[in-house]
Amino acid sequence: MIELVIDARRKDLGGFEVGRVLPFHSRRMVGPFIFLDQMGPAEFAPGADAINVRPHPHIGLSTLTYLFEGEIMHRDNTGATQAIRPGEVNWMTAGSGIVHSERTDPLKKSQGGAMHGMQAWVALPTELEETAPAFHHIGEEGQPAYENGGLFARLVAGEAYGAKAAAPVSSPLFYVHWELAEGVRTAPPSGKGPGGYSERALYVVKGEIEVGDRTFHEGQMIVLEPTAEPTVKAIKPSSVMVLGGEPVGPRVIWWNFVASSQERIDQAKADWKAGRMALPAEDDLEFIPLPDVPSTPEPAPVKPEPTHPV
């Protein structure tokens, strides 16, 4: 029933902790999901540094940011400027190349407050790796939701349970947010038959759940076997992200770049180093330089670490 359990690795990114789940040395992707971070939870004092990610580049992926608490201001070189708040989605498609920043608004910084959320990277299919960059913001109205008997479920992206979310996904996938009261039982999207997904996983954001005869706690990802049809029970009130989809093929990931070939990674490195990727018009006074670490000719765990705490 369970193929693998992955414990999030806690990382301090300059005063802000994330739990890094994917990529993992023995499981780099689940469906097209190639990167998954849990941001926080954290509580920032008034005036303290919160999210302050300078402009940096991406290729070959879409980023999906989803918050439980807090607010982040996104700016990119397509001209998009958009705050994201709890229950909303920022979906950014890098394609042939995009540059963006993520920061806490000065007013929010002065007030302090909580920050907690998830960021996923979704690898683009090979034929769409060079698509034009784009940004979409989706409110709660674009995410089908269900609530009954202690279960709240929101379809953040993709298709599942007969519903379809508004995020403009490029390949078959699903991404669901569950809130479970103690004792509630439910099940992930199927891995069988029409509409089933060949790769699926559960990530426990908080609380404790039972899958089969095993118990899992916050910070653990449970990768399911392809044909498993488990029932999930909440041992205590729990928040769970359920995700998966169909594989898009092997990918090289280096820093913030994802591609199906090492040559494309090397080109992106050269473009960023030479200043051929424009900075966001509203955030162009600084940027994150290319890390001075050589890439490797075959897929490997991320090295150096991706820019993102989000």
Side-chain angles (χ1 to χ4, degrees), residues 157-177:
E159 297 186 49
Y161 306 118
K164 182 177 182 179
V169 302
S170 299
S171 64
L173 64 86
F174 69 92
Y175 193 44
V176 176
H177 171 199

Side-chain angles (χ1 to χ4, degrees), residues 123-309:
L124 292 171
T126 304
E127 66 274 14
L128 295 177
E129 285 184 296
E130 299 300 325
T131 195
F135 176 84
H136 295 84
H137 177 79
I138 299 102
E140 292 185 27
E141 70 282 355
Q143 303 168 63
Y146 171 84
E147 188 167 11
N148 186 47
L151 164 67
F152 171 79
R154 174 183 285 141
L155 180 60
V156 178
E159 297 186 49
Y161 306 118
K164 182 177 182 179
V169 302
S170 299
S171 64
L173 64 86
F174 69 92
Y175 193 44
V176 176
H177 171 199
W178 283 345
E179 290 291 332
L180 308 175
E182 182 178 338
V184 166
R185 296 175 183 268
T186 187
S190 178
K192 298 178 181 178
Y197 292 98
S198 62
E199 299 190 1
R200 297 163 298 148
L202 311 162
Y203 178 70
V204 185
V205 176
K206 68 177 182 180
E208 189 175 350
I209 64 173
E210 184 179 84
V211 183
D213 59 354
R214 298 173 63 181
T215 301
F216 303 94
H217 56 75
E218 60 189 66
Q220 290 189 303
M221 172 177 273
I222 305 103
V223 181
L224 300 173
E225 292 180 341
T227 59
E229 299 293 340
T231 296
V232 178
K233 178 183 176 181
I235 305 302
K236 60 178 68 172
S238 300
S239 301
V240 181
M241 301 305 289
V242 193
L243 61 126
E246 298 309 311
V248 294
R251 289 294 183 269
V252 181
I253 177 170
W254 187 89
W255 192 39
N256 302 310
F257 303 139
V258 169
S260 57
S261 73
Q262 182 63 41
E263 291 75 20
R264 185 64 183 93
I265 297 286
D266 293 340
Q267 181 62 58
K269 291 172 59 181
D271 288 342
W272 184 241
K273 189 171 184 178
R276 291 190 286 265
M277 301 175 74
L279 300 177
E282 296 187 10
D283 193 351
D284 62 355
L285 299 181
E286 59 180 345
F287 61 89
I288 299 176
L290 189 77
D292 186 22
V293 178
S295 52
T296 55
E298 67 277 333
V302 177
K303 191 175 184 179
E305 289 296 339
T307 295
H308 284 252

Side-chain angles (χ1 to χ4, degrees), residues 13 20 35 37 53-58 100 102 121 255-256 288-289 291 302 304-310:
L13 300 182
R20 183 141 302 154
F35 178 93
D37 261 5
V53 183
R54 294 168 290 161
H56 57 279
H58 290 282
H100 77 135
E102 292 159 307
W121 294 0
W255 192 39
N256 302 310
I288 299 176
V302 177
E305 289 296 339
T307 295
H308 284 252
V310 294

